[in-house]
Amino acid sequence: MTEKIKVGSAIRLDQFLKWANVTGSGGQSKVLIQSGLVKVNGITETRRGKILKANDRVEVAGAGSFLVVM
């Protein structure tokens, strides 16, 4: 099941992971992303500064799937 996460505007991937309560800090987000455990729209993403927009789907190994909603 995909959880919808509402954000106010475009958001960086590392910030989104904190916003969605997947991680507790930017450092944790960085490690998770650089470990190859995060996919955006089905593609492994290793850039923590990747800008997410409405309807982007973020999948995190062991944490679930999230849909960006604005």
Side-chain angles (χ1 to χ4, degrees):
M1 182 173 173
T2 301
E3 183 178 347
K4 294 180 181 178
I5 304 294
K6 186 168 182 151
V7 296
S9 61
I11 188 170
R12 288 187 358 212
L13 179 56
D14 61 345
Q15 294 172 327
F16 178 81
L17 294 177
K18 289 190 300 184
W19 186 261
N21 292 318
V22 174
T23 63
S25 70
Q28 289 176 341
S29 294
K30 177 181 175 181
V31 169
L32 196 63
I33 294 165
Q34 291 180 341
S35 295
L37 299 173
V38 179
K39 291 184 179 183
V40 176
N41 299 324
I43 299 169
T44 299
E45 183 58 67
T46 58
R47 299 172 294 162
R48 64 184 186 159
K50 164 78 175 166
I51 301 297
L52 301 176
K53 301 174 201 81
N55 297 317
D56 280 344
R57 184 175 308 277
V58 178
E59 298 172 61
V60 182
S65 179
F66 306 89
L67 182 67
V68 179
V69 179
M70 301 211 186

